[in-house]
Amino acid sequence: MSKGNEGSKNKGSGRRDGKSAGASKNKGKRKAGSFDPKGKPSSHKSDSNERPTTRGGKNQVVGTSRSGKPVTKKEYIDRKKAESFSKRKTDKSGTRLNKYIANSGLCSRRDADIYIKAGSVTVNGKPVIEMGYQVMPGDEVRFDDRPIQPTKKEYFILNKPKGFNSPRKGEGSTRTVLDLMHNASPNSLHFVGRLGRASLGIMLFTNDLELTNKLNNPKQKLRKIYQVALDRSFKHEDLMRIRKGVLVDGEVIEVKDINYVENGKNNEIGIEIHSGKDNIVQRLFEVVGYEIKVLDRVVLGGLTKKDLPRGHYRKLTEQEVINLKMMQ
């Protein structure tokens, strides 16, 4: 009896030991993270730094998704940022960031895009590099850490007198046309249609950089009419030569119209030209052997200096601004 009982005891002990060993083995596999209790591959990563946790930090679980998966703090913040940007892109009450910068008079929209990508622009203290970002009312926008505000677009024409230069960008000069416009606006103004110190006539000034760049582009073919006084009488054959087109720097310059000024002297000529080249009128007459003593621009685009005294300026009418912007 004692042996049987002892064998039974040992056998039972062995079964229990066997179960215990198996359980311990399976338990070890689950700890390795290879399979879950149902035998399916575990979704947990072996790197503890990437596991959702109830502790603080970017991987702290702050909720669950609709599918029941845990959502970490970092995932929640990233999702909210994406939703905020998407909402701003479609919100019509905002202004595109590049347009906002251009409206401040700093640069054109195209240049603004470059500065945005470079990280030079912040909104409410945070760098913004996304194209299409919408600036909302009340937002603080900074360009190179300087606050900027969009300004109202202003447009003026000036009847330029002699003795004032039209300096190119970065060119230093005394007595410039900008001095004549000093009291016109507190905003920085840019001019369209450069005129030399000895030239007279109409010039356009505005803080609308996009329009300035468009109209100053030589490819724009902006309409311009000049009245010139030459150093001597102008021969009819030379007039016909210019009318047919004169070669300047290897390019034939087309003249829309040229004729003697009505009721004027034989050395007074009217010429309409659309070329954007600098000093092109002077160079045309030089080719045929004449020197311009007086050059007066009387039309620029669709603008005239009618009833505008020499040295004075005026604001453009709303219709004049619309006509300028409609130019192709």
Side-chain angles (χ1 to χ4, degrees):
M1 293 291 292
S2 62
K3 284 184 178 181
N5 290 337
E6 186 177 349
S8 175
K9 181 179 179 181
N10 290 336
K11 188 175 181 180
S13 176
R15 284 196 298 270
R16 285 195 297 273
D17 290 342
K19 289 180 179 179
S20 176
S24 176
K25 188 176 181 180
N26 289 336
K27 186 177 180 181
K29 286 184 178 180
R30 287 196 296 273
K31 281 185 178 180
S34 298
F35 298 90
D36 63 14
K38 295 182 180 180
K40 295 182 179 179
S42 173
S43 61
H44 295 296
K45 296 181 180 179
S46 59
D47 186 358
S48 60
N49 291 331
E50 298 298 327
R51 292 175 183 171
T53 175
T54 56
R55 300 175 183 177
K58 66 179 182 179
N59 292 320
Q60 178 184 0
V61 176
V62 293
T64 57
S65 65
R66 292 180 181 178
S67 60
K69 293 182 179 181
V71 176
T72 65
K73 184 177 181 180
K74 181 178 183 302
E75 291 171 338
Y76 177 78
I77 292 173
D78 289 344
R79 188 185 72 193
K80 286 298 182 183
K81 282 183 178 179
E83 289 176 353
S84 175
F85 178 63
S86 177
K87 182 179 179 181
R88 279 179 176 262
K89 287 187 73 173
T90 57
D91 195 329
K92 294 182 179 179
S93 65
T95 304
R96 285 177 66 95
L97 183 55
N98 62 352
K99 182 179 179 181
Y100 187 97
I101 296 171
N103 287 347
S104 72
L106 286 174
C107 59
S108 65
R109 289 195 201 186
R110 183 176 297 179
D111 289 338
D113 285 335
I114 297 173
Y115 290 120
I116 292 169
K117 288 180 181 178
S120 301
V121 183
T122 63
V123 179
N124 299 328
K126 297 179 180 179
V128 175
I129 59 174
E130 296 92 349
M131 296 297 103
Y133 187 92
Q134 297 281 323
V135 179
M136 300 301 171
D139 283 349
E140 182 191 45
V141 180
R142 286 180 170 264
F143 184 91
D144 283 341
D145 206 31
R146 293 177 299 164
I148 59 175
Q149 290 286 343
T151 55
K152 182 181 179 181
K153 294 293 182 290
E154 296 179 300
Y155 307 86
F156 303 88
I157 56 170
L158 166 73
N159 189 355
K160 176 189 172 301
K162 281 186 178 181
F164 292 86
N165 194 26
S166 307
R168 294 180 177 87
K169 187 176 182 180
E171 180 181 71
S173 179
T174 58
R175 295 192 75 193
T176 73
V177 291
L178 295 174
D179 295 331
L180 295 171
M181 302 298 296
H182 179 72
N183 295 323
S185 170
N187 301 312
S188 297
L189 298 177
H190 311 271
F191 58 81
V192 174
R194 186 176 177 274
L195 286 174
R197 191 179 296 275
S199 300
L200 313 167
I202 187 171
M203 294 184 69
L204 170 67
F205 291 81
T206 178
N207 60 341
D208 188 338
L209 260 177
E210 288 193 57
L211 183 64
T212 301
N213 293 337
K214 174 185 174 182
L215 297 181
N216 276 332
N217 190 329
K219 296 181 179 179
Q220 179 62 35
K221 306 295 184 183
L222 187 63
R223 178 176 180 245
K224 296 178 280 287
I225 298 178
Y226 299 86
Q227 287 186 358
V228 300
L230 303 175
D231 59 338
R232 55 194 173 90
S233 296
F234 192 49
K235 294 180 180 179
H236 184 263
E237 54 265 33
D238 292 328
L239 184 147
M240 296 305 296
R241 183 180 170 189
I242 291 179
R243 182 176 290 174
K244 290 177 180 178
V246 174
L247 195 66
V248 177
D249 294 338
E251 179 184 350
V252 176
I253 303 300
E254 295 183 359
V255 174
K256 291 297 180 181
D257 194 16
I258 182 171
N259 219 325
Y260 295 97
V261 173
E262 188 175 356
N263 299 324
K265 299 179 181 179
N266 288 338
N267 69 329
E268 295 178 350
I269 308 299
I271 180 171
E272 178 180 345
I273 191 167
H274 296 186
S275 172
K277 291 181 176 291
D278 279 352
N279 302 319
I280 190 60
V281 178
Q282 292 92 328
R283 294 164 76 185
L284 279 173
F285 283 98
E286 284 175 2
V287 168
V288 294
Y290 295 84
E291 180 185 350
I292 293 179
K293 292 299 184 180
V294 178
L295 183 144
D296 188 359
R297 184 162 60 206
V298 295
V299 173
L300 177 65
L303 304 172
T304 73
K305 59 177 186 173
K306 182 180 179 182
D307 299 327
L308 186 62
R310 190 85 68 196
H312 288 68
Y313 60 83
R314 68 167 176 84
K315 280 190 174 184
L316 266 62
T317 66
E318 185 176 345
Q319 188 58 52
E320 286 174 328
V321 174
I322 292 173
N323 293 342
L324 280 175
K325 291 185 175 182
M326 289 179 65
M327 288 184 181
Q328 298 298 322

